[in-house]
Amino acid sequence: PDSFALENLLKFTHLEVSALNSVVLSNQNPERLSFGMPELDHTGMPKLKASIKSLGELKKLSLDYQTVLFGNFFNGTLIKRQAILKVGNINRDLFIWGDEIDMAMRLMYFAPIRTVLNAIHYHP
């Protein structure tokens, strides 16, 4: 994580969210997302189309210029305790193949997930 990632995430804990996520950027190219980020449809579910690959594209989706809906788990993620109590913890049977998607989908039913654009986590 960037040295200010946690500090920047904590600024948004007042929001009605299930989780706050850092932007996961390539440690080789800080304008590239390490993992593609889906755009959400009008129901809040990921659209079936090519994912967003650059930080610039991701910033265009921000409604408030600070956060975007959805997130890539678990690199730099804060999950609210109340959300885990409601939807359950990580499904160990899916570790390490699909646990993040399962958890994100369950959390989205509790409250939105937001990625904080100035909370950065570098990943190869």
Side-chain angles (χ1 to χ4, degrees), residues 97-112:
W97 301 102
D99 57 337
E100 72 279 10
I101 294 169
D102 172 65
M103 188 67 169
M105 298 307 284
R106 287 186 286 131
L107 286 169
M108 286 170 53
Y109 286 106
F110 178 76

Side-chain angles (χ1 to χ4, degrees), residues 8-24:
N8 290 330
L9 287 171
L10 291 173
K11 292 176 185 176
F12 292 90
T13 56
H14 66 281
L15 294 177
E16 186 65 35
V17 296
S18 58
L20 294 167
N21 207 75
S22 297
V23 177
V24 184

Side-chain angles (χ1 to χ4, degrees), residues 5-7 13 16-17 22-23 35 38 42 44 57 72 75 78-79 90-91 96 99 101 105 119 124:
L6 180 58
E7 179 181 335
T13 56
E16 186 65 35
V17 296
S22 297
V23 177
F35 309 103
H42 69 283
E57 287 177 89
N72 286 321
N75 299 290
L78 288 179
I79 302 173
I90 297 164
N91 183 342
I96 199 149
D99 57 337
I101 294 169
M105 298 307 284

Side-chain angles (χ1 to χ4, degrees), residues 4 7 14 19 21 29 38-39 62-63 75 77 86 99 118:
F4 295 102
E7 179 181 335
H14 66 281
N21 207 75
N29 178 354
E39 215 176 310
S62 176
L63 300 175
N75 299 290
T77 303
K86 180 73 175 178
D99 57 337
N118 67 352

Side-chain angles (χ1 to χ4, degrees), residues 25-80:
L25 297 176
S26 165
N27 63 352
Q28 304 297 311
N29 178 354
E31 282 300 310
R32 266 337 256 155
L33 301 180
S34 287
F35 309 103
M37 182 84 120
E39 215 176 310
L40 303 182
D41 68 15
H42 69 283
T43 68
M45 297 305 288
K47 290 182 181 179
L48 297 175
K49 67 173 217 153
S51 61
I52 297 158
K53 300 285 188 191
S54 75
L55 183 57
E57 287 177 89
L58 186 61
K59 286 180 177 180
K60 290 178 187 175
L61 295 178
S62 176
L63 300 175
D64 60 5
Y65 304 104
Q66 299 179 78
T67 66
V68 294
L69 286 171
F70 207 64
N72 286 321
F73 286 26
F74 285 107
N75 299 290
T77 303
L78 288 179
I79 302 173
K80 286 195 173 181

